[in-house]
Amino acid sequence: MNTQIEKKSLLLEMIAFSTIDGNLHKRELEFLWLVAQELNIGRTEFNDLFHQEIKPLVVRSEFQRIHQFYRLALIMHCDGILHEKETKAIQQIAIEMGLNPNATKRILDLMKKAPNAIIDPKLLLQIFQEQHN
């Protein structure tokens, strides 16, 4: 992810996803702010993103798409409540990203069982690699 536009687009997608259940939980907001800081987006610019519409941006790198999927999945688990709308939305987003539905389902199932919904990054990539064979 090189440009500021790409970074903002990915964060906008995360913001849109985090409010799909009709609420923005405090933990989701904190997680979004952490991601914004990692992307070198300042507080004012971060706050302004909540008043912008999402403009889909195609992420070319599969690694970046997997990374974004995982960030969205972490947001889904942030508030400790898994909504059916979130599950359906993340599966649709993954399909639109061009990610394998079987791999994304496996990841989501593993995250449900894992403490704090965190899984090993090597396992995450391995599951997607298996689908290529």
Side-chain angles (χ1 to χ4, degrees), residues 18-19 21-32 75 77-81 83 86:
S18 67
T19 58
D21 62 0
N23 295 313
L24 180 62
H25 192 276
K26 181 181 177 189
R27 286 191 217 153
E28 291 171 325
L29 181 61
E30 290 169 355
F31 182 80
L32 289 167
I75 285 178
H77 289 273
C78 244
D79 61 3
I81 303 166
H83 294 275
E86 291 172 326

Side-chain angles (χ1 to χ4, degrees), residues 104-120:
T104 57
K105 184 179 180 333
R106 280 183 61 197
I107 297 297
L108 294 173
D109 289 343
L110 285 172
M111 289 179 78
K112 277 184 192 176
K113 298 172 188 171
N116 298 323
I118 295 174
I119 59 172
D120 185 305

